[in-house]
Short mmCIF file of all heavy atoms in Angstrom, two decimals:
data_model
loop_
_atom_site.label_atom_id
_atom_site.label_comp_id
_atom_site.label_asym_id
_atom_site.label_seq_id
_atom_site.Cartn_x
_atom_site.Cartn_y
_atom_site.Cartn_z
N MET A 1 -11.03 3.84 -1.63
CA MET A 1 -11.24 3.93 -0.19
C MET A 1 -9.95 4.41 0.48
O MET A 1 -8.86 4.17 -0.03
CB MET A 1 -11.66 2.59 0.37
CG MET A 1 -10.52 1.69 0.74
SD MET A 1 -11.06 0.11 1.38
CE MET A 1 -9.52 -0.76 1.27
N TYR A 2 -10.15 5.05 1.63
CA TYR A 2 -8.97 5.49 2.37
C TYR A 2 -8.26 4.29 2.98
O TYR A 2 -8.90 3.41 3.56
CB TYR A 2 -9.36 6.48 3.46
CG TYR A 2 -9.57 7.87 2.94
CD1 TYR A 2 -10.83 8.35 2.67
CD2 TYR A 2 -8.47 8.69 2.68
CE1 TYR A 2 -11.02 9.62 2.16
CE2 TYR A 2 -8.65 9.97 2.17
CZ TYR A 2 -9.93 10.42 1.91
OH TYR A 2 -10.09 11.68 1.40
N VAL A 3 -6.96 4.25 2.81
CA VAL A 3 -6.15 3.19 3.41
C VAL A 3 -5.48 3.72 4.67
O VAL A 3 -5.48 3.08 5.70
CB VAL A 3 -5.08 2.71 2.40
CG1 VAL A 3 -4.10 1.76 3.06
CG2 VAL A 3 -5.74 2.06 1.20
N CYS A 4 -4.92 4.90 4.55
CA CYS A 4 -4.20 5.50 5.67
C CYS A 4 -4.95 6.75 6.12
O CYS A 4 -4.97 7.76 5.41
CB CYS A 4 -2.78 5.86 5.26
SG CYS A 4 -1.84 6.64 6.60
N LEU A 5 -5.55 6.65 7.29
CA LEU A 5 -6.30 7.80 7.81
C LEU A 5 -5.36 8.85 8.40
O LEU A 5 -5.69 10.03 8.42
CB LEU A 5 -7.30 7.33 8.86
CG LEU A 5 -8.39 6.39 8.34
CD1 LEU A 5 -9.31 5.97 9.47
CD2 LEU A 5 -9.18 7.03 7.21
N CYS A 6 -4.21 8.43 8.86
CA CYS A 6 -3.26 9.40 9.43
C CYS A 6 -2.76 10.37 8.37
O CYS A 6 -2.56 11.54 8.65
CB CYS A 6 -2.09 8.68 10.07
SG CYS A 6 -2.53 7.75 11.55
N HIS A 7 -2.55 9.86 7.15
CA HIS A 7 -2.00 10.70 6.09
C HIS A 7 -3.00 10.93 4.95
O HIS A 7 -2.71 11.69 4.03
CB HIS A 7 -0.71 10.09 5.54
CG HIS A 7 0.37 9.99 6.56
ND1 HIS A 7 0.98 11.09 7.11
CD2 HIS A 7 0.91 8.91 7.19
CE1 HIS A 7 1.88 10.70 8.01
NE2 HIS A 7 1.84 9.38 8.08
N GLY A 8 -4.13 10.27 4.99
CA GLY A 8 -5.20 10.52 4.04
C GLY A 8 -4.92 10.05 2.63
O GLY A 8 -5.33 10.71 1.68
N PHE A 9 -4.25 8.91 2.47
CA PHE A 9 -4.11 8.40 1.11
C PHE A 9 -4.96 7.15 0.89
O PHE A 9 -5.33 6.46 1.82
CB PHE A 9 -2.66 8.22 0.66
CG PHE A 9 -1.81 7.32 1.50
CD1 PHE A 9 -1.91 5.94 1.40
CD2 PHE A 9 -0.87 7.86 2.36
CE1 PHE A 9 -1.09 5.11 2.13
CE2 PHE A 9 -0.05 7.04 3.11
CZ PHE A 9 -0.17 5.67 3.00
N THR A 10 -5.29 6.92 -0.39
CA THR A 10 -6.27 5.90 -0.76
C THR A 10 -5.61 4.69 -1.41
O THR A 10 -4.42 4.73 -1.77
CB THR A 10 -7.29 6.48 -1.75
OG1 THR A 10 -6.60 6.80 -2.96
CG2 THR A 10 -7.96 7.73 -1.20
N ASP A 11 -6.40 3.66 -1.62
CA ASP A 11 -5.89 2.47 -2.30
C ASP A 11 -5.47 2.80 -3.73
O ASP A 11 -4.47 2.30 -4.22
CB ASP A 11 -6.91 1.33 -2.27
CG ASP A 11 -8.25 1.68 -2.88
OD1 ASP A 11 -8.61 2.88 -2.90
OD2 ASP A 11 -8.95 0.76 -3.35
N ARG A 12 -6.21 3.67 -4.38
CA ARG A 12 -5.83 4.09 -5.75
C ARG A 12 -4.47 4.76 -5.75
O ARG A 12 -3.65 4.53 -6.64
CB ARG A 12 -6.86 5.06 -6.32
CG ARG A 12 -8.10 4.40 -6.82
CD ARG A 12 -8.98 5.41 -7.48
NE ARG A 12 -10.19 4.77 -7.97
CZ ARG A 12 -11.02 5.35 -8.80
NH1 ARG A 12 -10.81 6.58 -9.20
NH2 ARG A 12 -12.09 4.72 -9.21
N GLN A 13 -4.24 5.60 -4.78
CA GLN A 13 -2.96 6.29 -4.70
C GLN A 13 -1.82 5.31 -4.42
O GLN A 13 -0.72 5.48 -4.93
CB GLN A 13 -3.00 7.38 -3.63
CG GLN A 13 -3.87 8.56 -4.02
CD GLN A 13 -4.03 9.55 -2.89
OE1 GLN A 13 -4.55 9.21 -1.82
NE2 GLN A 13 -3.55 10.77 -3.10
N VAL A 14 -2.09 4.28 -3.61
CA VAL A 14 -1.07 3.27 -3.35
C VAL A 14 -0.75 2.52 -4.64
O VAL A 14 0.42 2.32 -4.99
CB VAL A 14 -1.51 2.29 -2.24
CG1 VAL A 14 -0.54 1.13 -2.13
CG2 VAL A 14 -1.64 3.01 -0.91
N ARG A 15 -1.79 2.12 -5.37
CA ARG A 15 -1.56 1.41 -6.64
C ARG A 15 -0.78 2.29 -7.62
O ARG A 15 0.10 1.82 -8.33
CB ARG A 15 -2.88 0.96 -7.24
CG ARG A 15 -3.53 -0.16 -6.46
CD ARG A 15 -4.75 -0.75 -7.19
NE ARG A 15 -5.42 -1.71 -6.34
CZ ARG A 15 -6.50 -1.42 -5.60
NH1 ARG A 15 -7.03 -0.21 -5.64
NH2 ARG A 15 -7.05 -2.34 -4.84
N ALA A 16 -1.12 3.56 -7.66
CA ALA A 16 -0.42 4.49 -8.56
C ALA A 16 1.05 4.62 -8.14
O ALA A 16 1.94 4.67 -8.99
CB ALA A 16 -1.10 5.85 -8.55
N ALA A 17 1.30 4.64 -6.83
CA ALA A 17 2.68 4.73 -6.34
C ALA A 17 3.48 3.51 -6.78
O ALA A 17 4.65 3.63 -7.17
CB ALA A 17 2.68 4.86 -4.81
N VAL A 18 2.85 2.33 -6.74
CA VAL A 18 3.54 1.11 -7.18
C VAL A 18 3.82 1.20 -8.68
O VAL A 18 4.92 0.87 -9.14
CB VAL A 18 2.71 -0.15 -6.84
CG1 VAL A 18 3.34 -1.40 -7.44
CG2 VAL A 18 2.57 -0.29 -5.33
N THR A 19 2.85 1.67 -9.44
CA THR A 19 3.04 1.83 -10.88
C THR A 19 4.21 2.78 -11.17
O THR A 19 4.95 2.60 -12.13
CB THR A 19 1.75 2.38 -11.53
OG1 THR A 19 0.70 1.45 -11.27
CG2 THR A 19 1.90 2.57 -13.03
N GLU A 20 4.37 3.77 -10.30
CA GLU A 20 5.45 4.75 -10.47
C GLU A 20 6.77 4.26 -9.90
O GLU A 20 7.75 5.00 -9.89
CB GLU A 20 5.04 6.08 -9.83
CG GLU A 20 3.88 6.74 -10.57
CD GLU A 20 3.29 7.91 -9.81
OE1 GLU A 20 3.90 8.40 -8.84
OE2 GLU A 20 2.19 8.34 -10.20
N GLY A 21 6.79 3.02 -9.38
CA GLY A 21 8.06 2.44 -8.97
C GLY A 21 8.22 2.08 -7.51
O GLY A 21 9.24 1.50 -7.14
N ALA A 22 7.26 2.42 -6.67
CA ALA A 22 7.37 2.05 -5.26
C ALA A 22 7.18 0.54 -5.13
O ALA A 22 6.12 0.02 -5.46
CB ALA A 22 6.33 2.79 -4.43
N GLY A 23 8.20 -0.15 -4.66
CA GLY A 23 8.15 -1.61 -4.63
C GLY A 23 7.87 -2.21 -3.28
O GLY A 23 7.77 -3.44 -3.16
N ASN A 24 7.74 -1.39 -2.26
CA ASN A 24 7.43 -1.92 -0.93
C ASN A 24 6.75 -0.83 -0.09
O ASN A 24 6.59 0.31 -0.55
CB ASN A 24 8.69 -2.46 -0.24
CG ASN A 24 9.77 -1.40 -0.12
OD1 ASN A 24 9.48 -0.25 0.19
ND2 ASN A 24 11.01 -1.78 -0.38
N THR A 25 6.37 -1.21 1.12
CA THR A 25 5.62 -0.29 1.98
C THR A 25 6.42 0.98 2.26
O THR A 25 5.88 2.09 2.20
CB THR A 25 5.27 -0.99 3.30
OG1 THR A 25 4.58 -2.20 2.98
CG2 THR A 25 4.38 -0.13 4.17
N THR A 26 7.68 0.83 2.56
CA THR A 26 8.53 1.99 2.85
C THR A 26 8.56 2.95 1.67
O THR A 26 8.45 4.17 1.85
CB THR A 26 9.96 1.53 3.19
OG1 THR A 26 9.90 0.63 4.30
CG2 THR A 26 10.85 2.70 3.54
N ALA A 27 8.70 2.40 0.48
CA ALA A 27 8.75 3.24 -0.72
C ALA A 27 7.42 3.95 -0.97
O ALA A 27 7.40 5.09 -1.43
CB ALA A 27 9.14 2.40 -1.92
N VAL A 28 6.32 3.27 -0.64
CA VAL A 28 5.01 3.92 -0.80
C VAL A 28 4.91 5.12 0.12
O VAL A 28 4.53 6.22 -0.30
CB VAL A 28 3.86 2.92 -0.53
CG1 VAL A 28 2.52 3.65 -0.41
CG2 VAL A 28 3.79 1.86 -1.63
N PHE A 29 5.28 4.95 1.38
CA PHE A 29 5.24 6.08 2.32
C PHE A 29 6.17 7.19 1.87
O PHE A 29 5.85 8.37 1.97
CB PHE A 29 5.56 5.61 3.74
CG PHE A 29 4.36 5.09 4.46
CD1 PHE A 29 4.04 3.75 4.44
CD2 PHE A 29 3.52 5.96 5.14
CE1 PHE A 29 2.93 3.26 5.09
CE2 PHE A 29 2.40 5.49 5.80
CZ PHE A 29 2.10 4.14 5.77
N ARG A 30 7.33 6.81 1.36
CA ARG A 30 8.29 7.81 0.88
C ARG A 30 7.67 8.60 -0.27
O ARG A 30 7.85 9.81 -0.37
CB ARG A 30 9.57 7.12 0.42
CG ARG A 30 10.74 8.08 0.24
CD ARG A 30 12.02 7.37 -0.18
NE ARG A 30 12.37 6.27 0.72
CZ ARG A 30 12.66 5.03 0.30
NH1 ARG A 30 12.66 4.73 -0.98
NH2 ARG A 30 12.97 4.10 1.16
N GLN A 31 6.92 7.90 -1.12
CA GLN A 31 6.27 8.55 -2.27
C GLN A 31 5.31 9.65 -1.79
O GLN A 31 5.15 10.66 -2.46
CB GLN A 31 5.49 7.50 -3.06
CG GLN A 31 4.96 7.96 -4.38
CD GLN A 31 5.87 7.56 -5.53
OE1 GLN A 31 6.95 7.04 -5.32
NE2 GLN A 31 5.43 7.80 -6.73
N PHE A 32 4.71 9.45 -0.63
CA PHE A 32 3.77 10.43 -0.09
C PHE A 32 4.46 11.37 0.91
O PHE A 32 3.79 12.12 1.62
CB PHE A 32 2.59 9.73 0.59
CG PHE A 32 1.78 8.89 -0.34
CD1 PHE A 32 1.55 7.55 -0.07
CD2 PHE A 32 1.26 9.43 -1.51
CE1 PHE A 32 0.80 6.76 -0.94
CE2 PHE A 32 0.51 8.65 -2.39
CZ PHE A 32 0.29 7.32 -2.10
N ALA A 33 5.79 11.30 0.95
CA ALA A 33 6.56 12.12 1.89
C ALA A 33 6.03 11.97 3.31
O ALA A 33 5.82 12.93 4.04
CB ALA A 33 6.55 13.59 1.46
N ALA A 34 5.78 10.70 3.68
CA ALA A 34 5.20 10.41 4.99
C ALA A 34 5.90 9.20 5.61
O ALA A 34 6.60 8.44 4.93
CB ALA A 34 3.71 10.13 4.84
N LYS A 35 5.71 9.06 6.90
CA LYS A 35 6.18 7.87 7.62
C LYS A 35 4.99 7.32 8.36
O LYS A 35 4.11 8.09 8.78
CB LYS A 35 7.26 8.24 8.63
CG LYS A 35 8.56 8.69 8.00
CD LYS A 35 9.58 9.01 9.07
CE LYS A 35 10.88 9.44 8.42
NZ LYS A 35 11.87 9.84 9.41
N PRO A 36 4.92 5.98 8.54
CA PRO A 36 3.80 5.44 9.29
C PRO A 36 3.71 6.10 10.66
O PRO A 36 4.71 6.28 11.34
CB PRO A 36 4.15 3.96 9.43
CG PRO A 36 5.07 3.67 8.30
CD PRO A 36 5.85 4.94 8.09
N ARG A 37 2.49 6.49 11.02
CA ARG A 37 2.29 7.13 12.31
C ARG A 37 1.75 6.09 13.29
O ARG A 37 2.44 5.65 14.18
CB ARG A 37 1.34 8.32 12.16
CG ARG A 37 1.35 9.26 13.33
CD ARG A 37 0.52 10.49 13.08
NE ARG A 37 1.07 11.30 12.00
CZ ARG A 37 0.40 12.24 11.37
NH1 ARG A 37 -0.84 12.51 11.70
NH2 ARG A 37 0.95 12.93 10.40
N CYS A 38 0.49 5.68 13.13
CA CYS A 38 -0.08 4.70 14.06
C CYS A 38 0.25 3.27 13.63
O CYS A 38 0.22 2.37 14.45
CB CYS A 38 -1.58 4.88 14.17
SG CYS A 38 -2.50 4.29 12.72
N GLY A 39 0.50 3.07 12.33
CA GLY A 39 0.87 1.75 11.82
C GLY A 39 -0.29 0.85 11.45
O GLY A 39 -0.07 -0.25 10.94
N LYS A 40 -1.52 1.28 11.68
CA LYS A 40 -2.67 0.42 11.41
C LYS A 40 -2.83 0.09 9.92
O LYS A 40 -3.43 -0.91 9.57
CB LYS A 40 -3.95 1.07 11.93
CG LYS A 40 -4.04 1.09 13.42
CD LYS A 40 -5.33 1.70 13.90
CE LYS A 40 -5.40 1.69 15.42
NZ LYS A 40 -6.59 2.36 15.92
N CYS A 41 -2.33 0.93 9.05
CA CYS A 41 -2.51 0.74 7.61
C CYS A 41 -1.40 -0.09 6.98
O CYS A 41 -1.51 -0.49 5.82
CB CYS A 41 -2.56 2.09 6.91
SG CYS A 41 -1.01 3.01 7.07
N VAL A 42 -0.33 -0.35 7.70
CA VAL A 42 0.86 -0.94 7.09
C VAL A 42 0.56 -2.29 6.42
O VAL A 42 0.99 -2.54 5.29
CB VAL A 42 2.01 -1.06 8.12
CG1 VAL A 42 3.16 -1.88 7.56
CG2 VAL A 42 2.49 0.33 8.51
N SER A 43 -0.19 -3.16 7.09
CA SER A 43 -0.46 -4.47 6.48
C SER A 43 -1.33 -4.33 5.23
O SER A 43 -1.13 -5.05 4.25
CB SER A 43 -1.10 -5.42 7.49
OG SER A 43 -2.35 -4.94 7.90
N THR A 44 -2.27 -3.38 5.25
CA THR A 44 -3.10 -3.16 4.06
C THR A 44 -2.26 -2.60 2.91
O THR A 44 -2.42 -3.02 1.77
CB THR A 44 -4.26 -2.20 4.40
OG1 THR A 44 -5.01 -2.75 5.48
CG2 THR A 44 -5.17 -1.99 3.20
N VAL A 45 -1.39 -1.66 3.23
CA VAL A 45 -0.51 -1.10 2.19
C VAL A 45 0.35 -2.22 1.60
O VAL A 45 0.50 -2.33 0.39
CB VAL A 45 0.38 0.04 2.75
CG1 VAL A 45 1.43 0.46 1.73
CG2 VAL A 45 -0.48 1.23 3.16
N ARG A 46 0.87 -3.09 2.45
CA ARG A 46 1.70 -4.21 2.00
C ARG A 46 0.90 -5.10 1.05
O ARG A 46 1.40 -5.52 -0.01
CB ARG A 46 2.21 -5.01 3.19
CG ARG A 46 3.21 -6.10 2.81
CD ARG A 46 3.75 -6.84 4.02
NE ARG A 46 4.39 -5.93 4.95
CZ ARG A 46 4.09 -5.82 6.26
NH1 ARG A 46 3.15 -6.58 6.78
NH2 ARG A 46 4.71 -4.97 7.03
N GLU A 47 -0.33 -5.43 1.42
CA GLU A 47 -1.16 -6.27 0.56
C GLU A 47 -1.44 -5.59 -0.77
O GLU A 47 -1.43 -6.24 -1.83
CB GLU A 47 -2.48 -6.61 1.27
CG GLU A 47 -2.30 -7.60 2.39
CD GLU A 47 -3.60 -7.89 3.13
OE1 GLU A 47 -4.68 -7.58 2.60
OE2 GLU A 47 -3.53 -8.42 4.24
N LEU A 48 -1.71 -4.29 -0.74
CA LEU A 48 -1.96 -3.56 -1.99
C LEU A 48 -0.73 -3.55 -2.88
O LEU A 48 -0.83 -3.69 -4.10
CB LEU A 48 -2.41 -2.13 -1.69
CG LEU A 48 -3.83 -1.98 -1.14
CD1 LEU A 48 -4.04 -0.57 -0.61
CD2 LEU A 48 -4.85 -2.30 -2.23
N VAL A 49 0.44 -3.39 -2.27
CA VAL A 49 1.69 -3.42 -3.04
C VAL A 49 1.87 -4.79 -3.68
O VAL A 49 2.15 -4.90 -4.88
CB VAL A 49 2.90 -3.06 -2.16
CG1 VAL A 49 4.21 -3.32 -2.90
CG2 VAL A 49 2.84 -1.61 -1.71
N ASP A 50 1.68 -5.85 -2.89
CA ASP A 50 1.81 -7.21 -3.42
C ASP A 50 0.85 -7.43 -4.57
O ASP A 50 1.21 -7.99 -5.61
CB ASP A 50 1.55 -8.25 -2.33
CG ASP A 50 2.68 -8.33 -1.31
OD1 ASP A 50 3.77 -7.80 -1.59
OD2 ASP A 50 2.44 -8.90 -0.23
N GLU A 51 -0.39 -7.01 -4.37
CA GLU A 51 -1.42 -7.17 -5.40
C GLU A 51 -1.05 -6.40 -6.66
O GLU A 51 -1.13 -6.92 -7.77
CB GLU A 51 -2.75 -6.68 -4.84
CG GLU A 51 -3.94 -6.95 -5.71
CD GLU A 51 -5.21 -6.44 -5.04
OE1 GLU A 51 -5.52 -6.90 -3.93
OE2 GLU A 51 -5.87 -5.58 -5.63
N ALA A 52 -0.62 -5.16 -6.50
CA ALA A 52 -0.29 -4.32 -7.65
C ALA A 52 0.92 -4.85 -8.39
O ALA A 52 1.06 -4.66 -9.60
CB ALA A 52 -0.05 -2.88 -7.19
N LYS A 53 1.80 -5.55 -7.67
CA LYS A 53 2.99 -6.13 -8.31
C LYS A 53 2.68 -7.48 -8.94
O LYS A 53 3.54 -8.13 -9.49
CB LYS A 53 4.11 -6.27 -7.28
CG LYS A 53 4.72 -4.94 -6.89
CD LYS A 53 5.64 -5.03 -5.69
CE LYS A 53 6.78 -5.98 -5.86
NZ LYS A 53 7.66 -6.01 -4.67
N GLY A 54 1.42 -7.94 -8.80
CA GLY A 54 1.04 -9.22 -9.41
C GLY A 54 1.13 -10.37 -8.45
O GLY A 54 1.07 -11.53 -8.86
N GLY A 55 1.26 -10.09 -7.16
CA GLY A 55 1.33 -11.16 -6.15
C GLY A 55 -0.05 -11.63 -5.80
O GLY A 55 -0.76 -12.18 -6.63
N CYS A 56 -0.49 -11.34 -4.59
CA CYS A 56 -1.80 -11.78 -4.12
C CYS A 56 -2.91 -11.37 -5.07
O CYS A 56 -3.05 -10.19 -5.38
CB CYS A 56 -2.08 -11.20 -2.74
SG CYS A 56 -1.02 -11.85 -1.45
N GLY A 57 -3.66 -12.32 -5.52
CA GLY A 57 -4.78 -12.04 -6.40
C GLY A 57 -4.39 -11.71 -7.82
O GLY A 57 -5.24 -11.55 -8.68
N GLY A 58 -3.12 -11.58 -8.08
CA GLY A 58 -2.66 -11.26 -9.43
C GLY A 58 -2.62 -12.48 -10.31
O GLY A 58 -2.98 -13.58 -9.89
N PRO A 59 -2.17 -12.31 -11.54
CA PRO A 59 -2.15 -13.42 -12.49
C PRO A 59 -1.25 -14.57 -12.05
O PRO A 59 -1.46 -15.71 -12.44
CB PRO A 59 -1.61 -12.80 -13.78
CG PRO A 59 -1.33 -11.37 -13.49
CD PRO A 59 -1.72 -11.05 -12.10
N GLY A 60 -0.29 -14.31 -11.19
CA GLY A 60 0.62 -15.36 -10.75
C GLY A 60 0.14 -16.11 -9.54
O GLY A 60 0.84 -16.95 -9.00
N GLY A 61 -1.08 -15.80 -9.06
CA GLY A 61 -1.59 -16.48 -7.89
C GLY A 61 -1.15 -15.80 -6.62
O GLY A 61 -0.64 -14.69 -6.63
N CYS A 62 -1.36 -16.45 -5.51
CA CYS A 62 -1.08 -15.85 -4.21
C CYS A 62 0.09 -16.57 -3.52
O CYS A 62 -0.08 -17.66 -3.01
CB CYS A 62 -2.32 -15.93 -3.33
SG CYS A 62 -2.06 -15.29 -1.68
N PRO A 63 1.27 -15.94 -3.50
CA PRO A 63 2.42 -16.60 -2.89
C PRO A 63 2.32 -16.70 -1.37
O PRO A 63 2.96 -17.56 -0.77
CB PRO A 63 3.60 -15.72 -3.31
CG PRO A 63 3.00 -14.39 -3.58
CD PRO A 63 1.60 -14.65 -4.08
N CYS A 64 1.53 -15.84 -0.73
CA CYS A 64 1.48 -15.89 0.74
C CYS A 64 0.32 -16.73 1.25
O CYS A 64 0.24 -17.01 2.44
CB CYS A 64 1.38 -14.47 1.30
SG CYS A 64 -0.17 -13.62 0.94
N GLY A 65 -0.59 -17.12 0.39
CA GLY A 65 -1.70 -17.97 0.80
C GLY A 65 -2.86 -17.26 1.45
O GLY A 65 -3.80 -17.88 1.91
N LYS A 66 -2.81 -15.92 1.53
CA LYS A 66 -3.89 -15.17 2.17
C LYS A 66 -5.14 -15.09 1.29
O LYS A 66 -6.22 -14.90 1.77
CB LYS A 66 -3.44 -13.75 2.51
CG LYS A 66 -2.45 -13.69 3.63
CD LYS A 66 -2.11 -12.25 3.93
CE LYS A 66 -1.08 -12.15 5.04
NZ LYS A 66 -0.64 -10.77 5.24
N ARG A 67 -4.91 -15.18 -0.03
CA ARG A 67 -6.03 -15.04 -0.96
C ARG A 67 -6.00 -16.19 -1.96
O ARG A 67 -4.97 -16.78 -2.22
CB ARG A 67 -5.94 -13.73 -1.72
CG ARG A 67 -6.02 -12.55 -0.79
CD ARG A 67 -6.01 -11.29 -1.56
NE ARG A 67 -5.93 -10.17 -0.64
CZ ARG A 67 -5.75 -8.94 -0.99
NH1 ARG A 67 -5.63 -8.64 -2.25
NH2 ARG A 67 -5.68 -7.98 -0.11
N GLY A 68 -7.15 -16.42 -2.53
CA GLY A 68 -7.26 -17.50 -3.48
C GLY A 68 -6.71 -17.26 -4.84
O GLY A 68 -6.06 -16.38 -5.20
S1 FES B 1 -3.46 4.83 9.34
FE1 FES B 1 -1.59 4.94 8.25
S2 FES B 1 -0.13 5.48 9.75
FE2 FES B 1 -2.04 5.56 10.78
#
């Protein structure tokens, strides 16, 4: 699904960016040679990064308490 409508990148692309070394939201945007425009996607990108790194919903549980 599309995560960022301003730049047209998807959740798969965000996960791939994390796999390639992007460790936070800023690094993900840098990977796409983009900067947040409207900002509506930033929290979703952050959650996807956390999830891909094994945080929320990952094998280590949810450190922020947003997910079970
Ligand atoms: S939806 Fe990503 S910056 Fe607007």
Side-chain angles (χ1 to χ4, degrees):
M1 87 180 166
Y2 280 98
V3 172
C4 179
L5 297 179
C6 292
H7 298 293
F9 57 78
T10 66
D11 58 334
R12 282 186 179 193
Q13 289 173 299
V14 171
R15 290 189 186 97
V18 173
T19 300
E20 293 169 13
N24 57 41
T25 305
T26 302
V28 168
F29 275 92
R30 195 179 307 129
Q31 190 97 354
F32 298 125
K35 292 181 179 176
R37 195 173 295 163
C38 74
K40 289 182 180 176
C41 64
V42 171
S43 63
T44 303
V45 171
R46 186 177 302 125
E47 287 177 17
L48 287 168
V49 170
D50 288 345
E51 188 179 301
K53 288 169 58 179
C56 292
C62 177
C64 67
K66 289 182 181 174
R67 298 183 186 172

